[in-house]
Amino acid sequence: MTAMISVKVEGPVGLDEPQDLLEELGRETGLAWRLETAGQKGTLGGELAVTMLEALLGGVAGAVVQVAVQRAVDNWRGRRLDPPIVTIVVQPPQAPQPARDPEPPQPTQDPEPPQRSDDPEGS
């Protein structure tokens, strides 16, 4: 089962800072992280308002990886004079949906009504 872990950085960051955090997260966790920037251009220097870093977790590595991610984020924020807000979110794996039984077939109606055998004319 696979879960996803996301690190969201809100606020202005320098051009190299998302890449620095990406490398720090990779070193600490051993996971392949995906960098995505969103939102608006921040300041005159071209900083971005929101940066997302995401990685997939396999098996039961969740708690260990969370500690490593927090350590990487703390190290990265510690190098900044004015660190941005960082949020770490772990999305648990989706439980497989139980298979549903197929719908029972609906009875079909005969196009002609059945004829009765007790008809007096014997037809």
Side-chain angles (χ1 to χ4, degrees):
M1 296 184 83
T2 304
M4 184 169 24
I5 186 163
S6 301
V7 176
K8 180 179 180 181
V9 179
E10 297 177 81
V13 295
L15 295 176
D16 293 336
E17 289 179 314
Q19 188 63 36
D20 290 344
L21 178 55
L22 186 70
E23 290 170 7
E24 183 91 37
L25 287 167
R27 276 193 306 274
E28 287 287 336
T29 64
L31 298 173
W33 289 82
R34 178 175 60 98
L35 174 66
E36 183 179 307
T37 54
Q40 316 150 355
K41 295 286 181 183
T43 65
L44 295 176
E47 293 87 2
L48 292 163
V50 178
T51 303
M52 290 289 293
L53 297 104
E54 295 178 332
L56 296 177
L57 303 174
V60 295
V64 172
V65 171
Q66 271 187 277
V67 170
V69 168
Q70 188 64 56
R71 185 172 45 239
V73 167
D74 291 345
N75 289 339
W76 180 77
R77 290 184 84 231
R79 294 191 295 264
R80 303 213 31 191
L81 293 176
D82 186 18
I85 297 169
V86 177
T87 307
I88 301 170
V89 177
V90 177
Q91 295 175 347
Q94 296 291 331
Q97 297 295 325
R100 292 181 13 189
D101 291 333
E103 297 280 331
Q106 298 295 324
T108 58
Q109 291 183 343
D110 293 330
E112 297 179 20
Q115 297 199 0
R116 296 177 22 181
S117 62
D118 59 343
D119 190 358
E121 292 186 19
S123 18

Short mmCIF file of all heavy atoms in Angstrom, two decimals, residues 80-118:
data_model
loop_
_atom_site.label_atom_id
_atom_site.label_comp_id
_atom_site.label_asym_id
_atom_site.label_seq_id
_atom_site.Cartn_x
_atom_site.Cartn_y
_atom_site.Cartn_z
N ARG A 80 17.68 29.94 7.25
CA ARG A 80 17.03 31.17 6.77
C ARG A 80 16.83 32.15 7.91
O ARG A 80 16.53 31.77 9.03
CB ARG A 80 15.67 30.82 6.18
CG ARG A 80 15.80 29.80 5.07
CD ARG A 80 14.82 29.95 4.00
NE ARG A 80 14.40 31.32 3.79
CZ ARG A 80 13.39 31.65 3.05
NH1 ARG A 80 12.70 30.74 2.45
NH2 ARG A 80 13.06 32.91 2.88
N LEU A 81 16.96 33.42 7.60
CA LEU A 81 16.70 34.46 8.60
C LEU A 81 15.20 34.61 8.84
O LEU A 81 14.77 34.86 9.96
CB LEU A 81 17.29 35.80 8.14
CG LEU A 81 18.81 35.85 8.07
CD1 LEU A 81 19.26 37.18 7.50
CD2 LEU A 81 19.41 35.62 9.45
N ASP A 82 14.43 34.50 7.81
CA ASP A 82 12.98 34.65 7.91
C ASP A 82 12.32 33.43 7.26
O ASP A 82 11.87 33.49 6.11
CB ASP A 82 12.54 35.94 7.19
CG ASP A 82 11.07 36.23 7.38
OD1 ASP A 82 10.46 35.67 8.32
OD2 ASP A 82 10.52 37.01 6.58
N PRO A 83 12.29 32.29 7.97
CA PRO A 83 11.78 31.05 7.34
C PRO A 83 10.30 31.13 7.01
O PRO A 83 9.52 31.68 7.78
CB PRO A 83 12.06 29.98 8.38
CG PRO A 83 12.26 30.69 9.66
CD PRO A 83 12.69 32.09 9.34
N PRO A 84 9.92 30.59 5.85
CA PRO A 84 8.49 30.56 5.50
C PRO A 84 7.75 29.49 6.29
O PRO A 84 8.35 28.65 6.96
CB PRO A 84 8.51 30.20 4.01
CG PRO A 84 9.77 29.43 3.84
CD PRO A 84 10.75 29.99 4.82
N ILE A 85 6.45 29.54 6.19
CA ILE A 85 5.59 28.53 6.83
C ILE A 85 5.72 27.23 6.04
O ILE A 85 5.61 27.22 4.82
CB ILE A 85 4.13 28.99 6.86
CG1 ILE A 85 3.99 30.26 7.69
CG2 ILE A 85 3.22 27.88 7.37
CD1 ILE A 85 2.63 30.92 7.55
N VAL A 86 5.94 26.13 6.75
CA VAL A 86 6.05 24.82 6.11
C VAL A 86 5.05 23.88 6.76
O VAL A 86 4.99 23.77 7.98
CB VAL A 86 7.48 24.25 6.23
CG1 VAL A 86 7.55 22.86 5.63
CG2 VAL A 86 8.49 25.17 5.58
N THR A 87 4.27 23.21 5.95
CA THR A 87 3.27 22.25 6.42
C THR A 87 3.60 20.88 5.85
O THR A 87 3.85 20.76 4.65
CB THR A 87 1.85 22.67 5.95
OG1 THR A 87 1.62 24.02 6.33
CG2 THR A 87 0.80 21.77 6.55
N ILE A 88 3.59 19.86 6.71
CA ILE A 88 3.86 18.49 6.28
C ILE A 88 2.56 17.70 6.43
O ILE A 88 1.95 17.70 7.50
CB ILE A 88 4.97 17.84 7.13
CG1 ILE A 88 6.26 18.65 7.01
CG2 ILE A 88 5.19 16.38 6.73
CD1 ILE A 88 7.34 18.25 7.99
N VAL A 89 2.15 17.06 5.35
CA VAL A 89 0.90 16.30 5.35
C VAL A 89 1.18 14.90 4.84
O VAL A 89 1.81 14.71 3.81
CB VAL A 89 -0.16 16.97 4.44
CG1 VAL A 89 -1.43 16.15 4.38
CG2 VAL A 89 -0.46 18.38 4.90
N VAL A 90 0.71 13.90 5.59
CA VAL A 90 0.82 12.51 5.16
C VAL A 90 -0.59 12.02 4.85
O VAL A 90 -1.45 12.03 5.72
CB VAL A 90 1.48 11.62 6.23
CG1 VAL A 90 1.51 10.17 5.76
CG2 VAL A 90 2.86 12.12 6.56
N GLN A 91 -0.80 11.63 3.60
CA GLN A 91 -2.10 11.09 3.20
C GLN A 91 -2.01 9.58 3.28
O GLN A 91 -1.22 8.97 2.56
CB GLN A 91 -2.45 11.53 1.79
CG GLN A 91 -2.63 13.01 1.68
CD GLN A 91 -2.85 13.46 0.25
OE1 GLN A 91 -2.63 12.71 -0.68
NE2 GLN A 91 -3.28 14.69 0.09
N PRO A 92 -2.79 8.96 4.17
CA PRO A 92 -2.72 7.50 4.31
C PRO A 92 -3.16 6.82 3.03
O PRO A 92 -3.87 7.41 2.22
CB PRO A 92 -3.67 7.20 5.47
CG PRO A 92 -4.56 8.38 5.56
CD PRO A 92 -3.80 9.56 5.03
N PRO A 93 -2.74 5.57 2.86
CA PRO A 93 -3.16 4.85 1.66
C PRO A 93 -4.66 4.68 1.62
O PRO A 93 -5.30 4.55 2.66
CB PRO A 93 -2.45 3.51 1.77
CG PRO A 93 -1.99 3.40 3.17
CD PRO A 93 -1.92 4.78 3.75
N GLN A 94 -5.20 4.71 0.44
CA GLN A 94 -6.63 4.48 0.26
C GLN A 94 -6.92 3.00 0.41
O GLN A 94 -6.26 2.18 -0.23
CB GLN A 94 -7.08 4.96 -1.12
CG GLN A 94 -6.91 6.45 -1.33
CD GLN A 94 -7.89 7.25 -0.49
OE1 GLN A 94 -8.99 6.78 -0.17
NE2 GLN A 94 -7.50 8.43 -0.09
N ALA A 95 -7.85 2.67 1.26
CA ALA A 95 -8.25 1.27 1.41
C ALA A 95 -8.97 0.83 0.15
O ALA A 95 -9.77 1.59 -0.40
CB ALA A 95 -9.15 1.11 2.62
N PRO A 96 -8.68 -0.35 -0.32
CA PRO A 96 -9.39 -0.81 -1.52
C PRO A 96 -10.88 -0.91 -1.26
O PRO A 96 -11.30 -1.33 -0.18
CB PRO A 96 -8.77 -2.18 -1.82
CG PRO A 96 -8.04 -2.59 -0.59
CD PRO A 96 -7.78 -1.35 0.22
N GLN A 97 -11.65 -0.53 -2.24
CA GLN A 97 -13.10 -0.60 -2.11
C GLN A 97 -13.53 -2.06 -2.22
O GLN A 97 -13.06 -2.78 -3.10
CB GLN A 97 -13.77 0.22 -3.21
CG GLN A 97 -13.44 1.70 -3.13
CD GLN A 97 -13.99 2.33 -1.87
OE1 GLN A 97 -15.06 1.97 -1.40
NE2 GLN A 97 -13.26 3.26 -1.29
N PRO A 98 -14.42 -2.52 -1.34
CA PRO A 98 -14.87 -3.92 -1.43
C PRO A 98 -15.62 -4.13 -2.74
O PRO A 98 -16.34 -3.26 -3.21
CB PRO A 98 -15.79 -4.09 -0.23
CG PRO A 98 -16.19 -2.71 0.17
CD PRO A 98 -15.08 -1.79 -0.27
N ALA A 99 -15.42 -5.31 -3.29
CA ALA A 99 -16.12 -5.65 -4.54
C ALA A 99 -17.60 -5.79 -4.25
O ALA A 99 -17.99 -6.41 -3.27
CB ALA A 99 -15.55 -6.93 -5.12
N ARG A 100 -18.38 -5.20 -5.09
CA ARG A 100 -19.83 -5.30 -4.91
C ARG A 100 -20.35 -6.47 -5.71
O ARG A 100 -19.88 -6.76 -6.80
CB ARG A 100 -20.50 -4.01 -5.38
CG ARG A 100 -20.16 -2.86 -4.49
CD ARG A 100 -20.81 -1.57 -4.88
NE ARG A 100 -21.89 -1.66 -5.85
CZ ARG A 100 -22.44 -0.62 -6.42
NH1 ARG A 100 -22.04 0.58 -6.14
NH2 ARG A 100 -23.41 -0.76 -7.29
N ASP A 101 -21.36 -7.16 -5.14
CA ASP A 101 -22.00 -8.26 -5.86
C ASP A 101 -22.74 -7.67 -7.06
O ASP A 101 -23.34 -6.60 -6.95
CB ASP A 101 -22.99 -9.00 -4.96
CG ASP A 101 -22.27 -9.78 -3.87
OD1 ASP A 101 -21.10 -10.16 -4.09
OD2 ASP A 101 -22.87 -10.00 -2.80
N PRO A 102 -22.73 -8.39 -8.17
CA PRO A 102 -23.46 -7.87 -9.33
C PRO A 102 -24.95 -7.83 -9.03
O PRO A 102 -25.47 -8.60 -8.22
CB PRO A 102 -23.13 -8.85 -10.45
CG PRO A 102 -22.61 -10.06 -9.77
CD PRO A 102 -22.08 -9.64 -8.42
N GLU A 103 -25.62 -6.94 -9.69
CA GLU A 103 -27.07 -6.81 -9.52
C GLU A 103 -27.73 -8.10 -10.01
O GLU A 103 -27.36 -8.63 -11.05
CB GLU A 103 -27.59 -5.63 -10.35
CG GLU A 103 -27.02 -4.30 -9.91
CD GLU A 103 -27.73 -3.77 -8.69
OE1 GLU A 103 -28.92 -4.07 -8.50
OE2 GLU A 103 -27.07 -3.08 -7.90
N PRO A 104 -28.72 -8.63 -9.26
CA PRO A 104 -29.42 -9.83 -9.75
C PRO A 104 -30.20 -9.48 -11.02
O PRO A 104 -30.67 -8.35 -11.16
CB PRO A 104 -30.36 -10.21 -8.61
CG PRO A 104 -30.49 -8.98 -7.79
CD PRO A 104 -29.25 -8.17 -8.00
N PRO A 105 -30.31 -10.44 -11.93
CA PRO A 105 -31.05 -10.14 -13.17
C PRO A 105 -32.51 -9.85 -12.87
O PRO A 105 -33.12 -10.47 -12.00
CB PRO A 105 -30.90 -11.40 -14.01
CG PRO A 105 -30.44 -12.47 -13.07
CD PRO A 105 -29.82 -11.78 -11.89
N GLN A 106 -33.04 -8.90 -13.58
CA GLN A 106 -34.45 -8.53 -13.41
C GLN A 106 -35.30 -9.47 -14.26
O GLN A 106 -34.93 -9.81 -15.39
CB GLN A 106 -34.68 -7.08 -13.86
CG GLN A 106 -33.89 -6.07 -13.04
CD GLN A 106 -34.37 -6.04 -11.60
OE1 GLN A 106 -35.54 -6.20 -11.30
NE2 GLN A 106 -33.43 -5.85 -10.68
N PRO A 107 -36.45 -9.94 -13.73
CA PRO A 107 -37.30 -10.84 -14.52
C PRO A 107 -37.85 -10.10 -15.74
O PRO A 107 -38.17 -8.92 -15.66
CB PRO A 107 -38.41 -11.24 -13.56
CG PRO A 107 -38.39 -10.23 -12.48
CD PRO A 107 -36.99 -9.66 -12.43
N THR A 108 -37.90 -10.80 -16.83
CA THR A 108 -38.45 -10.20 -18.05
C THR A 108 -39.93 -10.55 -18.15
O THR A 108 -40.37 -11.60 -17.68
CB THR A 108 -37.71 -10.71 -19.29
OG1 THR A 108 -37.83 -12.12 -19.32
CG2 THR A 108 -36.26 -10.32 -19.28
N GLN A 109 -40.68 -9.68 -18.77
CA GLN A 109 -42.11 -9.94 -18.94
C GLN A 109 -42.34 -10.55 -20.32
O GLN A 109 -41.73 -10.14 -21.30
CB GLN A 109 -42.90 -8.64 -18.82
CG GLN A 109 -42.89 -8.10 -17.42
CD GLN A 109 -43.75 -6.86 -17.31
OE1 GLN A 109 -44.08 -6.24 -18.30
NE2 GLN A 109 -44.10 -6.50 -16.09
N ASP A 110 -43.23 -11.56 -20.35
CA ASP A 110 -43.59 -12.17 -21.63
C ASP A 110 -44.38 -11.17 -22.45
O ASP A 110 -45.24 -10.47 -21.91
CB ASP A 110 -44.41 -13.44 -21.42
CG ASP A 110 -43.58 -14.53 -20.76
OD1 ASP A 110 -42.35 -14.55 -20.99
OD2 ASP A 110 -44.16 -15.35 -20.02
N PRO A 111 -44.15 -11.14 -23.77
CA PRO A 111 -44.90 -10.18 -24.59
C PRO A 111 -46.39 -10.51 -24.67
O PRO A 111 -47.21 -9.63 -24.79
CB PRO A 111 -44.24 -10.25 -25.95
CG PRO A 111 -43.41 -11.48 -25.94
CD PRO A 111 -43.17 -11.87 -24.52
N GLU A 112 -46.77 -11.81 -24.60
CA GLU A 112 -48.18 -12.19 -24.65
C GLU A 112 -48.56 -12.83 -23.32
O GLU A 112 -47.78 -13.58 -22.75
CB GLU A 112 -48.42 -13.20 -25.77
CG GLU A 112 -48.12 -12.65 -27.14
CD GLU A 112 -48.36 -13.71 -28.20
OE1 GLU A 112 -49.08 -14.69 -27.93
OE2 GLU A 112 -47.80 -13.54 -29.27
N PRO A 113 -49.76 -12.57 -22.85
CA PRO A 113 -50.16 -13.21 -21.60
C PRO A 113 -50.33 -14.71 -21.80
O PRO A 113 -50.70 -15.16 -22.88
CB PRO A 113 -51.49 -12.54 -21.24
CG PRO A 113 -51.98 -11.92 -22.50
CD PRO A 113 -50.79 -11.68 -23.37
N PRO A 114 -50.05 -15.52 -20.80
CA PRO A 114 -50.21 -16.97 -20.94
C PRO A 114 -51.68 -17.35 -21.13
O PRO A 114 -52.56 -16.69 -20.60
CB PRO A 114 -49.65 -17.53 -19.63
CG PRO A 114 -49.67 -16.39 -18.68
CD PRO A 114 -49.61 -15.13 -19.48
N GLN A 115 -51.87 -18.39 -21.90
CA GLN A 115 -53.25 -18.85 -22.14
C GLN A 115 -53.63 -19.87 -21.09
O GLN A 115 -52.82 -20.70 -20.71
CB GLN A 115 -53.35 -19.44 -23.53
CG GLN A 115 -53.05 -18.40 -24.57
CD GLN A 115 -53.57 -18.81 -25.93
OE1 GLN A 115 -54.16 -19.88 -26.08
NE2 GLN A 115 -53.39 -17.96 -26.89
N ARG A 116 -54.88 -19.81 -20.65
CA ARG A 116 -55.36 -20.71 -19.61
C ARG A 116 -55.82 -22.02 -20.25
O ARG A 116 -56.43 -22.04 -21.29
CB ARG A 116 -56.49 -20.05 -18.85
CG ARG A 116 -56.02 -18.82 -18.12
CD ARG A 116 -57.09 -18.08 -17.40
NE ARG A 116 -58.27 -18.85 -17.06
CZ ARG A 116 -59.31 -18.38 -16.45
NH1 ARG A 116 -59.34 -17.13 -16.11
NH2 ARG A 116 -60.34 -19.13 -16.18
N SER A 117 -55.55 -23.11 -19.57
CA SER A 117 -55.95 -24.43 -20.10
C SER A 117 -57.38 -24.79 -19.79
O SER A 117 -57.91 -25.74 -20.32
CB SER A 117 -55.00 -25.50 -19.57
OG SER A 117 -55.10 -25.54 -18.18
N ASP A 118 -58.05 -24.05 -18.92
CA ASP A 118 -59.43 -24.38 -18.56
C ASP A 118 -60.42 -23.57 -19.39
O ASP A 118 -61.55 -23.33 -18.99
CB ASP A 118 -59.67 -24.17 -17.08
CG ASP A 118 -59.42 -22.75 -16.61
OD1 ASP A 118 -58.74 -22.00 -17.36
OD2 ASP A 118 -59.87 -22.39 -15.51
#
